[in-house]
Amino acid sequence: VQLQASGGGLVQAGGSLRLSCTASGGSVSRDVMGWYRQAPGKQRELLAAGTTDALTNYADSVKGRFTISRDNAENTMFLQMNSLRPEDTGVYYCVAVWTDVAPGRYGFKYWGQGTLVTVSS
C-alpha cells in the first residue's frame, strides 16, 4: 500500500485547507487511518485517527477545528482544517493500518510522504 498526501500550502491565520490522502496498491477502507504533524523543532504529533467519520479521536490541539472524513469508494481520506493558526504550521503525514510494527510495539504500518502546511500570522 502506498499513501499519497496532497493539499498543503500557504494560508493566512484563520483560513482553511483540506488535505487529501489517497491509498493505492490495496484497500485501507476498513483500517485505522489518521494524520500526524511534524512542526518545526517539535516531536511528531498524532492529530487524529479512526476507522470511520464517527469513530475518530482528535488531539486537543485540533479538536473542534480539524475534521477527518473518508471516501471509501475512492480509498481516500481527507483532513479539513479550519481556523488555522500559525502553530499549525508543519509537515502533515497521513498514516494507515494500526498494527504491531516491531516486537512489543504498535504503530502505523503505512506512511505518506508528507505535505507542508504553512500558516502565516
Side-chain angles (χ1 to χ4, degrees), residues 17-19 32-37 45-70 77-82 88 92 108:
L17 276 178
R18 189 175 82 154
L19 306 183
V32 176
M33 296 187 72
W35 291 89
Y36 276 85
R37 177 174 65 204
E45 176 187 15
L46 178 60
L47 301 179
T51 53
T52 67
D53 296 353
L55 295 177
T56 298
N57 293 314
Y58 295 88
D60 289 342
S61 59
V62 304
K63 196 174 295 183
R65 300 187 298 122
F66 290 12
T67 303
I68 279 183
S69 62
R70 297 171 73 158
M77 172 182 63
F78 304 96
L79 181 66
Q80 178 66 43
M81 305 186 295
N82 299 326
D88 292 318
Y92 285 68
F108 284 98

Side-chain angles (χ1 to χ4, degrees), residues 13-36:
S16 298
L17 276 178
R18 189 175 82 154
L19 306 183
S20 300
C21 175
T22 299
S24 60
S27 174
V28 293
S29 61
R30 295 186 177 186
D31 294 290
V32 176
M33 296 187 72
W35 291 89
Y36 276 85

